[in-house]
Amino acid sequence: MRTLATLLALGAALMATSCAGDLPEDGGSSGTAFNPNEPADPDKEPIPEEAYDILNERVESPNEALRTASLKILRRFPTLDEITEVETGGRASYEALLDAMFETPEFSERMIKWWQDIMRQGGADPGDDRNAAPTLAAQLIVEGRPFMQVLTATDNCSAYDAANNAFVAAPCNSGAPAEAGVLTNPGVMRQFYGTMAFRRVRWVQEIFTCRDLPVEEGATPQDVGGGGSFQGPWAFTSISGAPVNFLGTDGVVCANCHQTMNHMAPLFGRFDMDGRYLTDGYGVVTNVNGEAVPSQLEHWLPAGQTTAWRFGKPAADLPALGAAIAADPQVHACMVKRAWNFVMSKEDIVSAGAIVPDEIVAPFLERFKSGFDLKDTLRAMFKSDDFLKR
């Protein structure tokens, strides 16, 4: 029997673990930011052995798993026939019914809604261009295609034909020289329009890496005076100091975030407020002494600097950026952790801080990396002992 003392110890340990990745007191404006991809601090109180005894006391419950999976995927309770089938056939019958769920229109619609929630995109009108990015993500899942094409696909503005449970793919025709998945999606660029394209950078960062800024750290912090140290691998002067002073150190070291942001933002700055790519000039503005002026490359980067995903990962254009992001192991882990939180009914990994320890998803991450089939990964999670045992 689980004693009160055991449960209290478990609760305290889990609380300590969940707080291990909290933001620094300055809210993450300097130093190391909250990182849900990092394991818990080893100096925190370890989970007591009794916790593992409690986990081992769980028993397999295929019918409870069926109910949860049916509600999550089909948006309905299982039928009496389905319940009876699983009562008789156990886990094998549950897995067969689960496989059938994955081939239904309800699954397609659920994947669209899931990615609308993740991407903070979508509109009631099916023709709303804010539906295209989540629909592309859903299409890749439903069709069992490599999911990282969400960042590289040229047929990147998908629509869903509910009557035939089919996806219709077409290029976004954003005006960009080449399409690159959601990175050249007009609906995304329009919704996240903002000064110097920083809202678009933040969107990409949070959706695909599951963490906030700053994200890059050098081996040795640099004393730059003022508000603290510069943590990055880039040279401190690799970003512009005028007309906006990104090299400011009054209170915080702005460059800790902007070393990354400024090397990405010019690529997104080509899109105007309607989400259309401009081949001549930039579609965003820079605030200079309270006046909005058209942005220029030198507003982000000094001469000699080029755009990039990360330090040492240059990206001359959006297709190159998409390829660099798609190859990033941190992005692969983020996609699997988002899948885990969906299956386990957890909140958003970034906005709600619903972190997932690496060891929890390790086997699913290896499975995902073998072909980047997120549908297969989701199916494996729904069939796992962690989902079936209560």
Side-chain angles (χ1 to χ4, degrees):
M1 179 179 290
R2 305 172 189 178
T3 66
L4 177 60
T6 297
L7 292 175
L8 289 174
L10 173 60
L14 291 176
M15 181 173 291
T17 300
S18 67
C19 294
D22 286 348
L23 287 166
E25 291 183 0
D26 65 2
S29 58
S30 63
T32 303
F34 164 75
N35 182 2
N37 295 310
E38 291 179 355
D41 187 338
D43 294 330
K44 296 290 185 180
E45 182 180 351
I47 296 177
E49 290 297 326
E50 293 88 343
Y52 298 99
D53 293 337
I54 292 172
L55 290 175
N56 290 334
E57 290 176 11
R58 297 177 303 165
V59 296
E60 191 171 282
S61 181
N63 247 322
E64 288 193 33
L66 172 67
R67 180 180 60 184
T68 305
S70 183
L71 286 169
K72 184 169 293 293
I73 298 171
L74 305 179
R75 299 295 185 91
R76 65 164 174 80
F77 285 103
T79 66
L80 180 58
D81 286 343
E82 291 167 340
I83 293 170
T84 302
E85 183 177 341
V86 172
E87 283 283 0
T88 304
R91 185 168 188 157
S93 293
Y94 160 73
E95 292 186 354
L97 287 172
L98 179 72
D99 289 340
M101 292 181 200
F102 272 58
E103 306 306 319
T104 63
E106 290 85 355
F107 178 72
S108 300
E109 293 166 359
R110 187 68 183 96
M111 291 298 96
I112 294 172
K113 179 61 170 64
W114 179 36
W115 279 92
Q116 285 176 334
D117 291 343
I118 288 176
M119 292 182 172
R120 306 175 185 94
Q121 284 262 289
D125 181 353
D128 191 318
D129 63 0
R130 293 174 299 171
N131 288 318
T135 304
L136 171 63
Q139 178 183 9
L140 295 172
I141 294 170
V142 172
E143 295 179 355
R145 292 163 54 188
F147 186 74
M148 303 320 300
Q149 290 179 10
V150 73
L151 296 154
T152 62
T154 54
D155 280 349
N156 54 333
C157 269
S158 297
Y160 178 62
D161 178 2
N164 296 300
N165 187 27
F167 290 87
V168 181
C172 284
N173 295 322
S174 63
E179 299 293 344
V182 299
L183 303 184
T184 53
N185 182 285
V188 172
M189 296 300 119
R190 178 169 64 85
Q191 179 170 329
F192 294 99
Y193 174 83
T195 303
M196 298 187 76
F198 289 139
R199 290 188 68 214
R200 295 164 178 168
V201 171
R202 178 180 177 182
W203 182 82
V204 171
Q205 170 64 35
E206 293 186 357
I207 300 308
F208 293 105
T209 71
C210 292
R211 61 176 295 186
D212 203 347
L213 293 151
V215 294
E216 295 190 87
E217 296 179 4
T220 305
Q222 304 173 42
D223 184 0
V224 292
S229 60
F230 174 58
Q231 308 283 339
W234 298 86
F236 180 63
T237 54
S238 68
I239 55 177
S240 296
V244 179
N245 186 16
F246 294 113
L247 303 180
T249 59
D250 184 11
V252 296
V253 178
C254 303
N256 280 327
C257 288
H258 282 279
Q259 60 172 329
T260 303
M261 297 174 72
N262 284 29
H263 284 89
M264 293 173 60
L267 296 172
F268 297 112
R270 292 283 187 181
F271 293 90
D272 64 17
M273 66 173 58
D274 295 321
R276 292 291 145 189
Y277 187 93
L278 304 182
T279 55
D280 183 19
Y282 291 88
V284 295
V285 297
T286 303
N287 288 327
V288 180
N289 298 323
E291 180 183 357
V293 302
S295 295
Q296 304 295 325
L297 180 59
E298 57 267 26
H299 293 181
W300 292 287
L301 300 171
Q305 288 291 315
T306 57
T307 50
W309 164 237
R310 296 289 188 262
F311 181 72
K313 301 291 183 182
D317 53 27
L318 287 165
L321 180 67
I325 301 173
D328 192 326
Q330 187 178 88
V331 175
H332 306 159
C334 173
M335 297 301 96
V336 173
K337 290 177 180 183
R338 286 196 177 281
W340 179 263
N341 279 359
F342 169 75
V343 171
M344 296 299 173
S345 302
K346 304 298 183 183
E347 298 295 328
D348 186 79
I349 195 168
V350 178
S351 60
I355 63 174
V356 183
D358 290 340
E359 56 269 26
I360 295 295
V361 297
F364 302 108
L365 178 57
E366 288 304 309
R367 188 183 188 110
F368 177 65
K369 290 192 297 185
S370 68
F372 300 109
D373 185 342
L374 198 55
K375 181 179 183 180
D376 174 74
T377 305
L378 285 165
R379 193 195 311 268
M381 289 176 176
F382 275 109
K383 293 181 179 181
S384 68
D385 283 347
D386 283 324
F387 190 80
L388 274 143
K389 290 186 175 181
R390 310 295 162 120

